[in-house]
Amino acid sequence: GVRQLPNGRPLEFTLTYGTDSAVWPPIATILQNDLKQIGVRVNVSVRWASPTGNQEVILEDMFFASH
């Protein structure tokens, strides 16, 4: 089934990581597969890495999906 928020929308969030990350792609896949088993959707988004290299991962709309 699909886990829902109190407003009836599906529980989902977006995990965004930089293209230069060697660590996050397998972690994102594990999170996506594990959370799917309990009805939570994880959207994975890859963005160009920041020039400073300070951005590792961003979680967006976690538990408060508004779209």
Side-chain angles (χ1 to χ4, degrees):
V2 175
R3 198 165 296 258
Q4 294 182 340
L5 296 168
N7 64 6
R9 295 182 189 266
L11 177 54
E12 66 179 327
F13 64 93
T14 300
L15 180 109
T16 303
Y17 58 86
T19 55
D20 64 343
S21 176
V23 175
W24 279 102
I27 292 172
T29 300
I30 291 167
L31 285 172
Q32 203 170 33
N33 291 334
D34 287 355
L35 292 175
K36 182 179 181 180
Q37 293 179 19
I38 61 167
V40 179
R41 182 176 179 175
V42 178
N43 303 302
V44 176
S45 174
V46 181
R47 293 190 184 163
W48 290 105
S50 72
T52 61
N54 292 332
Q55 178 180 317
E56 285 236 10
V57 68
I58 300 170
L59 293 177
E60 298 173 12
D61 297 331
M62 188 171 186
F63 304 112
F64 301 103
S66 57
H67 36 234

